[in-house]
Amino acid sequence: MSAQPAVPKANLTYYIFEGVLVGNAGGRSFHLLALSGGGGGSTKSRPAASMNNPYMTALKTTSPGAQHQHGGPLPSGWYKILKPAQHPHLGRSALLEPRIPNAMMGRGGFFIHGRGPHGSDGCIVPLSQFKELMDALDQSGGGTLRVEEGLGASRFA
């Protein structure tokens, strides 16, 4: 009996402006609409202007409660995608660890997670195929994420 071939690590790219997450994970190809920042992906409220706005990646989340301001999208750069796990607030999600020299602008704690009442403060929230993506990331044991401002891979300003 021969051993099963190892599943390669996930290799994904997220384009902030277009809100597209593409690449391979768990031996599958993905091309998903996904939101980042500004409360994108909320099941309760409308998103803010900072959602998928590449000019607002430095915007930090402020004030919990009624005065809450959603953070902008996650900063451009390279991230390690950890194998999905159960988070007490987000549910099943995959932590994104920034790789040096990402300019994180004092921000962190980003995940790929599902839709919920709060939405995104910078995390990536796929609008479809969330379970399939988490299953694929689980199968591949995580991987690498590249975040670009837009499809042209050039800076906006």
Side-chain angles (χ1 to χ4, degrees):
M1 198 185 270
S2 63
Q4 292 285 349
V7 176
K9 291 284 188 185
N11 185 9
L12 300 173
T13 303
Y14 182 66
Y15 298 100
I16 297 170
F17 183 72
E18 292 81 5
V20 176
L21 180 66
V22 297
N24 298 302
R28 292 190 53 192
S29 292
F30 288 90
H31 187 266
L32 309 172
L33 292 178
L35 303 175
S36 181
S42 171
T43 56
K44 274 180 66 175
S45 60
R46 296 183 59 146
S50 56
M51 182 189 76
N52 287 80
N53 185 335
Y55 293 111
M56 300 185 95
T57 58
L59 182 64
K60 295 180 185 179
T61 304
T62 60
S63 305
Q67 299 300 316
H68 180 77
Q69 175 181 323
H70 286 287
L74 74 168
S76 298
W78 290 90
Y79 296 81
K80 178 180 181 182
I81 306 169
L82 299 186
K83 188 173 179 174
Q86 193 67 26
H87 185 278
H89 176 69
L90 302 173
R92 190 175 183 199
S93 54
L95 179 64
L96 303 174
E97 289 184 346
R99 295 223 174 133
I100 306 300
N102 282 11
M104 296 305 295
M105 297 167 267
R107 298 183 69 207
F110 298 114
F111 290 82
I112 299 173
H113 66 77
R115 297 187 71 188
H118 185 79
S120 170
D121 281 323
C123 298
I124 296 174
V125 180
L127 298 181
S128 65
Q129 294 185 300
F130 175 73
K131 181 187 180 312
E132 293 85 350
L133 177 61
M134 289 295 110
D135 289 347
L137 288 172
D138 195 36
Q139 186 178 4
S140 65
T144 302
L145 171 71
R146 182 180 70 187
V147 176
E148 297 283 349
E149 288 183 349
L151 280 167
S154 61
R155 301 228 8 117
F156 269 75

